[in-house]
Amino acid sequence: MLLSRPLWLRDADRPVLFSVVFWAMLAATGIAHVSHRETSGMAVAFGVNLALVTALWLVLPWRRDGGWRRHVAVVFLLATLTLGPAGSAEVHQLLTLIAIANIAFVYGMRTAFVIIGWTSAALFVSVVMWFGRGVAEAVAQTAAFVVFSAFVLGMTSAVLEARSARADAQRLLARVRELTVAQERARMGAEMHDSIGHHLTVIKMSLENAERFRTRRPEAAWDDVRQAKELTVEALADARRWVRALRPLALEGRVGSAALQRLAASFDGTGLAVSFEVVGGEVHLEPDVELVLYRVLQEGLTNAVRHAGARHVRGRLTFDGGHVKLVITDDGRGRDDGAAGGSGLRSLAERARAVGGTLIAGDRQGGGFEVRAELPVRVGVAS
């Protein structure tokens, strides 16, 4: 959990390299000061300054923040600059460069340039008036500060652009997944309409016939009523299967193999004994790959219930390097060549190819039916 990590590692927005450099340079700055054997007064001032820099680092924001924390970035920059007069022997300069980068993260590039400009002016004045050094030395120190600041801001700009591009890509990926799920739900909704609509149409006709023949041919009327009753049971079971099928993965609260195991368990009430196992070390799957696996298992289980007359179905998910395999087998009667390529399986085969994988389905030797899908863990990896 995030809260169990040390305080200086909790901020996920802070670049890890900055943390490493900060703590290394903080230690080097302290060692350099001690080695120069400054007076006790300077040692106390330096110690307070170093403690302030450390405390500010722990609460330093790394994203644009409209609250009070954004001001910490400016104070942190000034605190690193005062380490020089306090006796750091110029070792602190990398800390100042990190502070400059932080200004860009928190305030943006334009504001960072303005702050750096004011800081450069203050540095020039302090070198001339406070330390009583010449203008030439003040110009040299200020110029060095400006050059290093520009370099750091350039690097920070690249990081910020990469961060923005990654956020845009994540939003686009989420949108693509939403559209994919919506398209799948629309397809399944159409299939549900055809399936349940057929049952309801026949039920309506049977009841109309029963009403028509209730006095003239009562036995035929009761036959139609019984047929309507049987079809009602089938329609109800069909509706329940479709409700399970249309439930979004997000509402399941699970992803990866956990979502597949949950789906397999949801068929327990259908009279089908379903077993599901995971082989190999599980890795994170891309959303498109995960959705194809979910639909393949769903199709395999649904077909086993509706068409195969199976009693047992076995699902096996195998993680093998850069690929993941899902095999679903049942002990039903299998299917002939014409039925083996149903529209649902054909559609899933196309979706498997779209993510760089394959799907094969057909009767297996010894009886029963098998659906085998092999997909890349990452979309774009060749199968």
Side-chain angles (χ1 to χ4, degrees):
M1 295 176 59
L2 188 61
L3 292 178
S4 65
R5 299 169 64 188
L7 182 63
W8 56 86
L9 293 177
R10 287 183 190 174
D11 195 338
D13 295 325
R14 178 190 295 138
V16 176
L17 182 60
F18 281 12
S19 292
V20 174
V21 173
F22 173 82
W23 292 110
M25 295 314 302
L26 190 73
T29 301
I31 294 172
H33 177 79
V34 172
S35 64
H36 278 72
R37 294 186 177 87
E38 300 288 349
T39 62
S40 59
M42 288 296 293
V44 172
F46 181 82
V48 171
N49 198 162
L50 203 64
L52 176 62
V53 169
T54 304
L56 291 172
W57 173 262
L58 297 178
V59 295
L60 204 60
W62 288 90
R63 277 189 185 274
R64 292 201 176 195
D65 191 337
W68 64 270
R69 289 184 66 204
R70 67 196 305 246
H71 303 303
V72 176
V74 178
V75 179
F76 180 74
L77 173 61
L78 297 175
T80 60
L81 287 171
T82 55
L83 283 173
S88 73
E90 307 303 325
V91 179
H92 71 288
Q93 292 178 355
L94 275 178
L95 297 178
T96 301
L97 295 180
I98 291 177
I100 293 170
N102 176 254
I103 290 288
F105 274 100
V106 176
Y107 287 92
M109 296 303 298
R110 291 183 180 179
T111 305
F113 276 112
V114 172
I115 293 176
I116 297 308
W118 281 103
T119 304
S120 301
L123 177 62
F124 178 85
V125 172
S126 64
V127 170
V128 174
M129 300 185 64
W130 188 1
F131 296 101
R133 298 176 183 175
V135 174
E137 185 173 349
V139 169
Q141 290 193 23
T142 304
F145 175 77
V146 170
V147 170
F148 282 117
S149 298
F151 174 75
V152 170
L153 289 180
M155 297 289 291
T156 304
S157 177
V159 173
L160 290 174
E161 289 179 4
R163 178 183 285 181
S164 176
R166 183 178 62 182
D168 290 342
Q170 289 175 342
R171 285 192 294 269
L172 179 60
L173 181 61
R175 182 59 178 160
V176 168
R177 186 178 186 185
E178 289 176 4
L179 292 174
T180 301
V181 173
Q183 183 181 22
E184 180 69 10
R185 287 168 64 86
R187 182 189 69 81
M188 296 182 70
E191 292 183 6
M192 179 176 66
H193 175 270
D194 293 342
S195 174
I196 299 178
H198 169 74
H199 284 102
L200 294 178
T201 300
V202 177
I203 290 171
K204 178 177 178 294
M205 293 176 61
S206 297
L207 292 177
E208 287 176 348
N209 288 335
E211 185 179 25
R212 185 180 303 113
F213 299 132
R214 68 181 184 277
T215 55
R216 287 181 296 170
R217 298 168 54 190
E219 288 300 324
W222 280 114
D223 287 341
D224 286 328
V225 170
R226 279 191 292 271
Q227 181 183 18
K229 182 179 178 180
E230 293 172 357
L231 288 173
T232 300
V233 173
E234 292 182 15
L236 182 59
D238 222 12
R240 287 171 177 168
R241 282 194 294 268
W242 283 113
V243 167
R244 280 196 300 268
L246 289 170
R247 185 183 298 130
L249 270 65
L251 296 183
E252 297 286 347
R254 293 169 172 80
V255 295
S257 65
L260 298 180
Q261 289 172 330
R262 175 67 177 270
L263 174 62
S266 71
F267 279 76
D268 286 344
T270 62
L272 194 67
V274 181
S275 63
F276 188 84
E277 63 176 329
V278 180
V279 180
E282 183 166 358
V283 297
H284 175 73
L285 300 173
E286 287 194 5
D288 289 346
V289 175
E290 180 181 294
L291 185 58
V292 172
L293 289 174
Y294 191 90
R295 292 310 187 199
V296 169
L297 179 60
Q298 194 172 66
E299 183 77 9
L301 294 173
T302 301
N303 286 342
V305 172
R306 297 178 61 186
H307 305 300
R311 292 182 299 174
H312 299 88
V313 178
R314 180 186 180 190
R316 182 184 178 94
L317 183 69
T318 304
F319 292 90
D320 182 16
H323 295 80
V324 59
K325 301 175 185 177
L326 176 61
V327 180
I328 306 145
T329 57
D330 64 51
D331 60 356
R333 55 179 172 268
R335 304 175 201 174
D336 55 36
D337 292 338
S343 60
L345 289 174
R346 285 197 300 270
S347 174
L348 286 172
E350 292 174 0
R351 295 184 62 176
R353 285 193 294 272
V355 297
T358 59
L359 185 143
I360 301 173
D363 292 346
R364 65 189 184 101
Q365 195 171 16
F369 194 75
E370 179 178 278
V371 179
R372 179 183 296 269
E374 183 173 352
L375 309 173
V377 170
R378 298 284 179 267
V379 174
V381 178
S383 294

